[in-house]
Structure formats: structure tokens, C-alpha cells
Amino acid sequence: MTEQLIFERGQPGRRAHAQAPRQAPAVDDIPDALARDSDIGLPEVSEMDVVRHYTRLSQLNFSIDTHFYPLGSCTMKHNPRACNTLASLPGFLDRHPLAPASHGQGQMCCLYELQEILTEVTGMDKCSLTPMAGAQGEFTGVAMIKAYHDHRGDHHRDEILVPDAAHGTNPATATMCGCRVIELPTDADGDVDIAALREKVSERTAGIMLTNPSTLGVFEQDILEIADIVHGAGGLLYYDGANLNAILGKIRPGDMGFDVIHMNLHKTFSTPHGGGGPGSGALGVGSHLRKFMPIPTIGRRGDGAETRYYWMTEADLPHTIGRLSAFMGNTGVLMRAYIYARLLGRDGMTRVAEYATLNSNYLMARLKDAGFEVAFPDRRASHEFIVTLKREKSQFGVTAADFAKRLLDYGFHAPTIYFPLLVPECFLIEPTETESRETLDAFVEAMVAIREEARADPETLRQAPTSLPARRFDEVAAAKRLDLAYDAGSSAAA
Amino acid sequence: MTEQLIFERGQPGRRAHAQAPRQAPAVDDIPDALARDSDIGLPEVSEMDVVRHYTRLSQLNFSIDTHFYPLGSCTMKHNPRACNTLASLPGFLDRHPLAPASHGQGQMCCLYELQEILTEVTGMDKCSLTPMAGAQGEFTGVAMIKAYHDHRGDHHRDEILVPDAAHGTNPATATMCGCRVIELPTDADGDVDIAALREKVSERTAGIMLTNPSTLGVFEQDILEIADIVHGAGGLLYYDGANLNAILGKIRPGDMGFDVIHMNLHKTFSTPHGGGGPGSGALGVGSHLRKFMPIPTIGRRGDGAETRYYWMTEADLPHTIGRLSAFMGNTGVLMRAYIYARLLGRDGMTRVAEYATLNSNYLMARLKDAGFEVAFPDRRASHEFIVTLKREKSQFGVTAADFAKRLLDYGFHAPTIYFPLLVPECFLIEPTETESRETLDAFVEAMVAIREEARADPETLRQAPTSLPARRFDEVAAAKRLDLAYDAGSSAAA
Amino acid sequence: MPFIPHTEADVRDMLAVIGAETIDDLFDEIDPRLRNVSLDAIPEGASEQEITRLMRERAGRDEGGLCFIGAGAYEHHIPAAVWEITTRGEFYSAYTPYQPEASQGTLQVVYEYQTMMCGLTGMDVSNASLYDGASALAEAVLMAVRANRKSKSRRVLLPKSVHPFYRQVARNICANQAIDFEVVDFDAEHGTVDRAALDRWAGEDVTALVIPQPNFFGALEDVDALTDWAHDNGALAIGVVNPMSLALLKAPGRWGGGDGADIVVGEGQPLGAPLAGGGPYFGLLCCRKKHVRQMPGRVVGRALDADGCDGYVLTLQPREQHIRRSKATSNICTNQGLLVTAATIHMSLLGPEGLRRTAATCAANTRALVERLTAIDGVSRVFDGPYFHETVLRLPMAADAALEALAERGVFGGLALADHYDGLNDTVLVCATETKTAGDLDAYAEALAAVLETHAAPA
Amino acid sequence: MPFIPHTEADVRDMLAVIGAETIDDLFDEIDPRLRNVSLDAIPEGASEQEITRLMRERAGRDEGGLCFIGAGAYEHHIPAAVWEITTRGEFYSAYTPYQPEASQGTLQVVYEYQTMMCGLTGMDVSNASLYDGASALAEAVLMAVRANRKSKSRRVLLPKSVHPFYRQVARNICANQAIDFEVVDFDAEHGTVDRAALDRWAGEDVTALVIPQPNFFGALEDVDALTDWAHDNGALAIGVVNPMSLALLKAPGRWGGGDGADIVVGEGQPLGAPLAGGGPYFGLLCCRKKHVRQMPGRVVGRALDADGCDGYVLTLQPREQHIRRSKATSNICTNQGLLVTAATIHMSLLGPEGLRRTAATCAANTRALVERLTAIDGVSRVFDGPYFHETVLRLPMAADAALEALAERGVFGGLALADHYDGLNDTVLVCATETKTAGDLDAYAEALAAVLETHAAPA
């Protein structure tokens, strides 16, 4: 089952007539030199063509709504439909970002309360919702650390410590903030190598970027000591919220000693992943960083019936690192996170961490019992854990990628593969709290069956997937002969 | 790809916690003898289970939004999404049917205007929107014919003439109205046999039920003569709106001499077919039948800013045949029809008939050119036409059903098969106006390819479909060993 | 030309293939007298943008108001997932599953629906739904006449405690079927079937007895006794139920000392259908297995495919009009497919515990409302005895006027019964579902107190 | 426990498999000092019904008002089909297409989006989107610095006629990258780049020139001259465009006498994203093919699968942070996938003719509004010269006060520029898109006349 391109469906002159003004008024005051003088390269199709085409395309996807999706570090959990429906009420959708705050109190109230909820659940002093994705949240956090040091005259602090297991965004962000990245090794238990840390902190240390639990699926046991070491050297601690789902409502980054954090609301607060976005990287800060927060952040004046919400600007936060988006970040995403937070409530949040951890440890135990090798067999799993298929690779000549592709044939999205880079032939598996035990059991059965296939006929795995809309792609050739846009003239695909 | 039953997913105690009140208040004043004393047989599943299960189930369907669906006599055309979205605005959805009319003027205005639009486009005197489906529209029409005769003292008129090609609902409806069905033969051109009609009308004739164009896909050429004959005998003419799409805005039933009609809004006015309903069988009447209209129908008082819409009841229509549904018929369906009618407007309606007819005649011509036998080769097709596969049956031993099933493998829903009963191995094909020429051409190609398969290897057709979620079913066995509900206890399916 | 994909080139080429000059030529078999149509009363076509604005304005006009009206249609919370999934194109824009291989989604949903209905009602068999509760009662009556072969009278006892609109619809639909509907009065004290009135028919040839539970007044009938009475008198027992109430009330399949009700119908709206001004809703119809071949409407059954795999098909089609034509069990051919889909998803989301909590909250809220309202001078319950989630209150003024004054204060206070029942002047049928908060109940009580005060005040 | 499927039996059995006594034991590696958390400031969990009611009340508070504000976010008609399809679970709840075989839906949508963007802008290549227009400009600046290897200055000329928020965001995001942003003033008469101010940099080492079209004031820049200026001075030309305007305006790929702009960014919101209080929107970024490997963000390319069939994959991943880590072209890893899906469907529904009509109607409506408003005493255009669909008006009173008074009359009259530009006191930036009717324009004019009259009246 494949679907031709929308451009291959069209005919010159075909239109979705209901979707544009009925007349085209003449606009005769645009100088010729500035006026369009080439085709507008859009498809020419009917409304039904469009509905049919994109409905069919959607069916080619795996998604949470259709498949178990244990993609490690991505927290693919249930996206409650109410969050979408209610965030899409016309009163919210129609609001212009520059409309008077007096006419947006309903939405601003939600956003303010979301700031308060996130503040409490992370143990920070204040939250700001503007960062538009996790990576922008990271950027904001590191930029604030820089601003903090600069404000104190510590202009020489330009080194950011990053564990070698960290997400690639961490070092990339540090670079974008003008910092040098100092990599920290991991010890045999998966924790940061404390001795190496002590060695690498200095008066040039701006801070450390950590996610805890780490990408290795274990909780950093020495976190309080790490905080002491870094703070002792004058650096600050930045918490990457990628794995916040593991500890939500159970352990708080603020209590661990972090000075600034970001949260991936599309993970922990279940806003949609949307095929790759929009995300949201809400920020939490300690009191000493409050004055550097980005704008706009929402403030409140008055109480009870007199309550008024307002946008904090440079006037309120003269030391702000400033504005990072044209308007108010991904507001619609924030609304979804707010609704989700209210549905969960206080107890519900704690249960997120508890049941995400229960599912993860259960699945790890079952896979271990089934003979798979886990990376840190003596550690508790956090919300995710690592299986290494290096033995299967040496015995049967099949790779983690082969296993992953075969899982697709079994109706499961593959876990994250080959990340973290430290573990060979690695599967990073995150079941999330919203999956049932039966689903986890079925996943174990599939893993066992695939290993049996690997033993009996490894080619089955190497050829996989065979039951999907596409077979494996030649990605190397695609990157060489770049074809990034359809060319109606030259394509032979029609 | 199949999907287990929702009952097979559950676990005792599992719940979608957000979807019920958080507490269960005690209700202690219901006598034990009247209280529930057995299990409530519903599944016990999580919210994500439900979303995943029904999302996956939906993907097992063919539908207009995913496939060409040329099901004759069913008018499977594009269902504009705006009709659903706008009919689902909270102001409309929240309105209780017995709430004061003063608080429902927005919706009642839409319904009144829909009555007016339907009246104009059918050439009738007045419309009522209450019938909940085509069959109930038929019932209403025949009941009004009966009421008309009874009111005049013509109690002996109890015969309804029905052509042999008519939909099965026509005779079934006549029976439900206490009438005897007199079948009329069809002549070689597909028209009603006028001589037979003259012979069968009498002082017992209550009326005739006709759809025009007929189910044979041709326009009844002698309709004015038929009207004269039936009216001359004291009978009335009932128009079955099943095929109204063929003439919408182009020819009007009222002008043909019909006294009462129903319209299938889910066909002609593109409200969703919904997997089998809800439909809507809005009614149009001539002035002499107005007083017998069902209730509630919407009336209007005043003009301009003083306009008020109200529900007409027995007080306004003392001769009404009465109420046929608890409330106001399928109001939400009517709202969708209204929105569709406003999007089309006057010109758009005429174009429905024109382009539905163009597509039908084009597809007929193409299939004829490709060597298929059409039932009435010398007639214009209406919005649909008939292909007979009797030659293919005798040559290759494949049936219309085999062809139909194989079309599914080619990604096309099958046309209506084996109806009308008059034509052997019959395909009743209705492409509708919303399909593009390319889609019709692709359908012709598939038909030709399948005939080639029938020639080369007829077993391919007999085994079809092979690429769908299910193969052909043993329907005879299913009707014998009735299994109409899942029995968790006895089933071995789990 | 909304929704028409044809370009000028398409039209030209297609006409050439047909061998016609113009599109109008395709209508040349039709009498020219019929081909001159003016549609002046129909507005010009509008863009989706224009219609969107219009509909939003009109919907806005109808917004607001706290609704305490029940009387056969009930405001319940509907999970967002229900209609987001139900309106997926694959459900929304499919038709009757004539080709089962290409319709397993719809068919399995209906099979699951049938199973849930059997579970709720305790009956053996469910159909795939009928139009609404009222017409389902009419179909049940016709079905009972077919099924009760021992009875020749075509006499159906229809208590006055059945919804007045249902009684009208049953009579209207059966008008030409020579059914003898006999009214059975209600007991003035309890608002339930008057046993003495019923006993007038004891020993007579009665085809069926209709048993509402809860009845129109919200009151609980003695269903065991009524069912036994029916069976003792050779009549079939037809239950008319609110499916939501079945979370708390005895399943009709267990009514009486024998095998329970014979046929059960009801309005499915409380299971996922929005109020929507009156519809679309759906009628549920269940029966005992021995009557299955007399059942009207579509039915889905489990079947095996050519690979021996389970699947689902429309079954028992020989009863239906497209095969049996004038001898069909009914002229019905559609079901309310989309509503059934919504109801199935809705019931799955609620589950047994959710349904129980919802029903219990409805009952508790109505009790709390009644307590607040009857604390107001001159307001009292008309009937005593147990009820589910609505009941009748007497007001110290004309109910119509009181409701109008309440509506002006943003409260839809219930249904006035004077138009429907002699002797029930100054009464309203009130209902508070799980959607109402304590604040809402207070708001009603305060508004009513104010209205009554204004009314009592000297002019 | 919303959204958690575990039954008590599940928990018991799962703990047994793990070999733990309680769920809390699973956290036993964590310092006990960290495990004592109170969340008192967070409300208890609420049911969906409760939250539905709350959100409806809050949304209701924000409803209403005729919006004539533009300034980077524009009210346009969005076909109902756009978000009904975009929010289908398969799009909504999928993630980045790491497994292309299981993500062809998302991947093909992005490939189609890239094609449409190339068509609209006349550029060779598009990425899969960035966060929003403002951050896209920042990324374009960083990209230009990487791509313009001949320039050593890291000097970027940023006209004041670029959206003030975009300028702030570019500076903030590039704050630690040693970019030398130089402001270029605008011409007081036309509101476009002051050629004399620009020429101060002629002959210097300039890395890139940012060219807004239309600019923040709605005015049309002389893009040909500016592009040529950039190229003549060894600078890259970075266009900042409103994609809706491109239906009427020259494609950036054709600006100037050479090969057009080098990089084009813009706010995608006008293509199917609701205003929504500020986001999510998406940033578009296109460039010439020779710069493709310096482009930030995701890109989808066509590929062949093992059967030789066409399909789509993420490509050029070696530029990205998960491979290159600290040496990546950007730290960006998400795109705005859902918005891109909406935009792709939106553009398909509009097509070239629909986009042209929409843009032309916006332009015509704004002209009609300007005509009505400048007919009022004391109201005048600040800049002359051609514009697309917004422009700056001077009022005979403080703009803030006027806008506040208009808002009370239900009209959001535009953006006051005093806070953003010295010398533009008493001015508002106004915009009337295709959503406005003649009646709406009249309503604005009447409201403004009334406000000015009240203001002028002696107290």
C-alpha cells in the first residue's frame, strides 16, 4: 500500500471551490517589479482528493493510537483526546497573541496555573513556558547560566560538563551558547564517574548538564554529591527534563540541587508528538536565576474576583535573557499540558513515576528471564532500560537494527536503537505507564519469537520488514543523490 | 490484520479513570427487588485500550474518505468536513429538544431554512424534516396518502402500485401502511409498462411509488403520462428520493406531478452514511397534503428582527398523521444537510445533477468501449447505470460477486450487485459527481484487468479478496449457527 | 462548483467520449417541459468561511442555560475520545457493510455493541439499533404481534406511565396494522401502573404488555409483578428502559419469576449521543433468542472466512425488505450506525464501574435537587415511591409560567406535564444528571425561590 | 489513577516477577532525603467532565471581538478538513519518523510540504520546518555565517523594518555566537529600508543582509535592489517573507538580477495554524541547493526501498546533533510536524488559485479599511507606497488609549507602535484579512469615529 504524491493527483484548473473567497478582487497597486511572475507551485486538487490522500497517508504511520511504541527517551504514552478537544475550543483558538490581555484572561489563567503546577512538581522557584521545544529549553537554561555568571562578573566561566551518555542536544546546545563542552565518563554502574568530575571542575566551569535518571536508564545515585562538587566549584546544575516522567511527583529536580531545568511537556505531560513536533520545553528556575528568565512569562496581580493575569516583559524582568519566540511559545501545546496536569492532579502525577517505573522494571525482568542481556542487570530500571543484543549479533549475525525492523512486522514500534552510544547493539526501551501488562507480555513474546527466527533463519530479520507499506530504504544513496522536492517536469514517477 | 474483541482486552478492575465521577455516591433507596443483581456486561479497559482498539478497527473499513465507493443507488459522494465540524458546535450539541424554543432560535432558523430550500429544489409546497431515514420517509408519504383518501372518505383505496424494479423498502412500506402491493412490470427500455399500468389502476388505487430515474439507471420517459393515469384514477404519486441526486436542481419531482416525496439527505445532501446510518428522509408535499404533515415541523412568525421560529404541533396541524419520533428526527443530520445546501447554493445544486450524470455517462461509455455489456445501451445513463456480467459468467464461470470481490483487491469498493433483480449478474454503478475523471479511468482499467484475470485464471477471482483484513465469509453457516454476541465464558477465541 | 473536481478540459474530453455536445444533452430524454427550473428561493452558494461564521453566530445564540430537563433525553458527559474516533472518516463516510471483507471495522463495532447491549439488558440478542427509542417501541409492538402466535387479539396494553411521545409514535406507526392499543392508567399516589386497571384485562387475550422502567415520571415500576402478570396472561412483556439506569436496576432479562422480559427497547441517547436538539439518537432493541427471527432491523453475526479466521457479517438478511420485500419484518433498512459506534466507544470508556458511578451520581444529584426544591414553600413531590433520576414536582403556580421565568434566569427547570396529563397541572418533571454540581442545584433552588416570590408578591 | 491500566492483580503479579514487595521499593536506589515530596500546591485530579466544564467557561471568557491585529500573526479561514485530518491519531500521536518503514505517512507529508515551500518561494530546497518565524530568522543568520565562507566579519545587517520581535529573538539566540548585528534604519516617508543607511556598509565585509517582504509595516521593500546590493557586497541575502503574500509577490528565488535570495525564512502560521494565543506556529526555511548542508533542522528525501519502490526517509542526518553533537549545525531536533501537516493539507485545499484569491482579498480588504479609516478626521497613513495587507495609521490621539476604547466596543484595532519605534507615537499597525466583511470594516470605522469623538469632546 503506497500513495502517489498529491502533485501527481492534480489537474490544471482543479480546485476545492468552497475553500477560497468566491471572487478574486483586483489588486492593481502592486508594482510589476514586485509582483509574482512565476507559477505558484501548489497542487491543483479537489477537496475530496485532499481528504482521501491525507487520510490514506495517515494510515501508513505507526502511532501511539495504533501501536505499542516503546521508543526509549521519548515517552510515547497515551495522549488523552480531551486535551486536544478542549485546547481547541474556539475561544482559545481565535485569540490573537497581541490582543489585549483583558480579553485573554481565560487562557492566561490556564497558563499561569500551569506555571504554578510545574513549579511545585519540580521543586523549583518559578517556571516560564516560552521555550518551544526541549532543545530550546536547554538553550534557555544554559543561556541563563551564562547570564548568571556574566552578571556576577564571572565572564571566564565557559565550560559545560556533559556526560558521555547525554543526548546530542546537550553538547550542541552548549556550543550554541558559546561554551566549550567537557565530556564526563560513565562508571561501570552507569553513573557519572565522580573522580573524573572532581578532576574536571574548575574556575572555568559554568555548569553541568544532566538528565536524571540518565539515558542509561538508571538513577544517578550520587546526585547530591555531584551537586555539591559542581556548586562548590562555582558552577550551576542544569537538568534536562527528557526523563522527568521517571520521577514525576516522586523526586524533584529542585530537591536534587538543580538550579535550572527544562521539561519536555510533549513527553511528561503527554502533549502530542505530532510526527516530530511541536514540542514544548518549559523552564523551571531557582530563585537566584529568576531575574534572568525569558519573556513573556505570565504574572498575576490581585486575588479572588480581582485577579488579573499579565505578560511580564523587560519592564518586569530587566535582566531577562529576552524573547526566544515571536509570541508566547507553543501556547496550544501548553494548553494541552495544562489540561493533562489537571486531569492527573497531585496523586496522578506521582503515579506516573510509579507505574512508568513498574512497567519498566517488569519488562526488564521478563526480558532478562527470557535470556536477553540487559545493560545494568544489578540496577533498578528507571522508566526505561537497555538491552544489548551484542550476543545475538555474534551468534546469529543479526544486528539491533535487524531486530528492530522485525519488531515492526510483529506490530510493535521499535525501541530507540544505537543510543546511548556507550552500549553496543543497544535497545533503549521505555514502555511508559499507560501500557497494560498484556501488551508488555506480548512484546516479550515477540522478542523471543524473533530471536528464534534469528537462530533458525537470520535472513528473515535482515529482510524485515516485509509486511509494511515499505521495505528497508537505501538511506546512503538517498543522502548522496538528494531529492528533497518533487519536480513535476523531470519525474518519471507519475 | 485483525483485531481482537474489546472484551478480550479487558481485565477485571481496569478502568478509564477520567471518564466517570470520582466518587460513587450511595443510592440506598432503591428496593432490593428492583436493584441490579447481575454483572453489567461491559468491557473493563483503559482509555488508551479504547482509543487504540477503535482506531485500529476503523482502519479495517473502506469508506469514501479512503476509497472510490461506486455503490449504486447509495450516492457515496464526498462528505464535506465542514458539515460535521459546524453541526457539532457546542451551542447546537447542548440543546435539549424540550428546551424553550426561545433558546433555540439559532438551530431552528437553520432547520426552517432547510425546509424552504428543499421545498424549492423539489418543487413541492412544503417540507417536513422529521422522518429519520429513507424508509421512514416512505412510510410517512404512504401514510399521508392513506390519510388523504380516508379524509375524503375513500376508505377503500388500499392498493399501492410498485414497479418490479423498485427498492425492497417500497413494498415493505406499503405493507406497513396496511396496503396491498400491486407490482408493475418494466418494458424493454427500462420504463414502466404503461399498458400494464392502465390495466392495474382502479378505484382501489391509493397511489403509486416511483423513483425517477428508476433503479435501472434511466429516467422514466413517460412520467407525465404516468401521473395523468394515476391521478385520473384518483390515486396519488409518491416519489422515492433515493435517486434525487440524478436530477437535483435540474428536474423537480413537483413538476413531474408527484404529490408527496421523501429525500435521502444522507445521499443527495451528503450527510454521512456512518456505516449504515443515521439517515434522514425529509418529506415534501403538495398543498393538498399539507394538512396531513407529520409533527414537529418548524413554522415561522414575524419578519426581520421580529422573526420567531416555533414547533408546529397538533394545534397547528389538526389532521397531522402525528409524531413519528420521540423528538425532532435526526436533527444533527439535518444540520449537516443545511450546511451542505448552503455551501452548494442554487447553482451548486444544479451542478450536482449535471456532473453526476456526466460522470455516469462517461463511465458507461468507457466500459462499453472496453467491451462490457450495459443493460440499456441505447438509453442515457442517469447518475448510475447497469453493467451485466452474464457473458463473463458464461464464458469464464465467474460471477458478479467474484468480480466485486476482486475489485476490493484493486482498492475499489464494489458497486451494488444483484440489484435490481431484473438484470442478471448485475453491477449497479454510481460514480457520483465528486469523483475525478482519473478515478473513473482507473476503475475502467481495473475492470479490464479483472476480466483478463477471469480469462487467464478465474480462480483468482473466486479466491478474492486476498489482500484485505478478511477473506470471503461463510455467510450461510453464520446464519445457521447464530453467534450474535460474545460470550466470555464459552468462547475459545481469547 | 463546490466539490466538483472537473476541469474544463475534463468536461470537453468526457463529452467527446460519450459523444455528446454539452452536459445538457445528457438530459435530452427528459420532457422539455420538465427542464426549465428556477430556484430563486435558494441562496447563492457560500464559501466555507462564510458558512462557518454564520453557523458560529447561530450556535452562539443557542448557548448557555443550566438544563434540568430529562423526559427522554439526558445531558451526560461524553468523553472527548468518543466523537473524535467516531467521526474518523473510515467510520463516518462508510456505508452499510454490504462487502464484509471491506467493512470489518463497522461490523466488529456492531458485534461488540450487540454484546454490550445483551450484557446491560440481560437479554440473549440485540439488533444493530433502530432509529430512536419511540420508534423502537413501535417496532417492538409489531414484533410482539408476530412473535406471540398464541394470541389472536393484537391487543397491546400501553400504560399511561409510558412516555406520551412514545405512545403517540407507537400508535402512529402501527396505525394501519389493526393493533388494539389499550391504555392502562397509573396509580395517583405512586405514579406507577395501577394494578387494578391492569387486572381488568386479566384472563383476556392480551398480546403484549409494555413495561416502562423507570417510567416517564422517573418512578420505578414493580417490574417483577408486571412481567409475571404478562406471562400469566399469555402476553409478551416488552420492557422500555433507560440503558443508563440499568447500572442500578435489575436487568430486564431477570424480571419476574420466569425468563424475564421478552423484548426490551429503549432510547440509546444516554450512551454517548449529545442532546443536539433532538437527534440523531438510536433505539435499542433486544429480545430472547427464540424471537430472533421476528426481530426487525440489521443484525451482525460472527462468521468464519475462507482461511478459517473469525470475522463478522450481516446475518439473518432473509428477514429484511431487500430480500423479502412486502413480506419483510419491517421496512427499516438503516440502523443508526454512527451512534452505535459512539455508544460502543462510550460504554467501553465507562465500563461497568464508570456506568455505575455515573448512574449513582445522577440519582444522588436528583435526590439532592428534590431536597433543595421541596424545601421551598409550596413545592412538593407529586408521587411517592422510589425513582431513578427524575421525578415530578408540584409548584404553587402554573408550571409553564414558572419555567418561562426560570429560563429567563438561565435555568431550564424541567418539563411541564399539564399538556400531557390531565390532572397534572402545575407540575414539572425534573432531572439532575451527573453533569450538575452542588452549585448548579443551588442555582436552581435560588432561581425557583425568586420566581415563586415574585409570583406571590402582590402586583 | 487516570490513564494507568493496572489492576491490583496486575501490580501484585508484576512485582512478584520483579522480585519487589512494593512499588516504592523500585525507588530504593534513590537517596531517602529525596523521596519525601509534598505537592500541596497542585490541585487534586479532576474528571474529564469537570475539566471540560472549566475549560469551556474559560474559553467562553476569551470569545468575541473583531480582530484587525496582524503584526506577524494573521486570522485566516482554515478549512474544517485541515485539523480534522491533522489530529487523526496516526499523525497526532506519532513521533519523529526514525523508522521510515513505519512512518511513510509523516515522511511523505513532509516531502510534499518541502515541495510546496519550494514552489511558493521559488527556492531549491526547504527543510521540514523550524519552531517559528522569529527563531527561523536566528537560524538563518547562523546558517549564513557558516555558509558565507568568504566573509570573516560575522556582520549581519538587520533593517529596522524587520519585525521588532524577530530582531530581538535573533539577537538573543545568537547572543553567544559573536555575531555583529548592525541596524539599518528605514526611510521615514516609505517605511522601507533607507538606501543611504544601507550604503554606509557598501564595500565593507558584510556576511548577510536581511530583507523583509512585506516588512513589519506591511510595506513592500525593493527586494530586487536589496538582493543585488547584498550580492554586490559579498553578502548573502536572507529573505523574511509572509508565505501568504507570495501568491501576489515575486518569489524570493527570483529577487534581483542573479539567482535570487540565498536563504528564505518566514512565519508559516498564515498557512493553516490558528492564532491560538501565540502558537504553535512554524518557521519555514528554504535555501539554494548549494547551501543545503549548512541548513539546520530536519529534511526528508526520496529514497528507494529494497523492492526498488519510492519512499521517503530523513536524510542529511549527519548534520544533526544526535550524530555530530557539539559540532551540529544547530541544537534543533524537533520540527513543528503537526503544523507542517496542517499547512500541507491547507495548501492542498487552497491550491494556487485559492491562495491567490485569499491573498488578493486580504489586500483588497485592508485597502477598503484604510479608505474608511482615513476618511475620519485626523486619521492618516504614516507611510506611502505599496503594501500587502497591513499598514500604519496615525491617529489624532494616543494609540494605546484608542485601542483600549475600541476593545471595549468589541474591536481589536491593531498594534500600537510607540513601544517598538521611537517617533511612531499615536500610530497603529492595522490589518484586515479575507475573514473580514464589508460590515466588519464599517464596524471598525464607526467604532473609531465614536472613540475619537468621545476623546475630542470636552470633558
Side-chain angles (χ1 to χ4, degrees), chain B residues 211-230:
Chain B
T211 179
N212 193 12
S214 73
T215 60
L216 298 168
V218 295
F219 192 90
E220 188 67 56
Q221 298 178 88
D222 304 319
I223 184 62
L224 292 173
E225 191 177 352
I226 292 171
D228 283 346
I229 294 168
V230 175

Side-chain angles (χ1 to χ4, degrees), chain B residues 11-15 17-22 46-47 49 55 58-59 81-82 84-85 90 94, chain D residues 1-7 10 44-50 56 80-81 84-85 88-90:
Chain B
Q11 285 294 338
R14 189 167 292 163
R15 290 175 50 212
H17 299 266
Q19 301 304 348
R22 281 180 287 149
S46 72
E47 182 169 318
D49 281 339
T55 300
S58 77
Q59 293 183 342
R81 282 277 132 185
N84 179 52
T85 309
D94 295 348
Chain D
M1 295 193 288
F3 318 126
I4 291 175
H6 302 70
T7 66
D10 287 335
E44 265 190 62
S47 68
E48 187 178 309
Q49 174 189 310
E50 291 164 326
R56 280 209 193 179
E84 291 227 1
I85 299 175
R88 284 172 58 84
E90 301 95 320

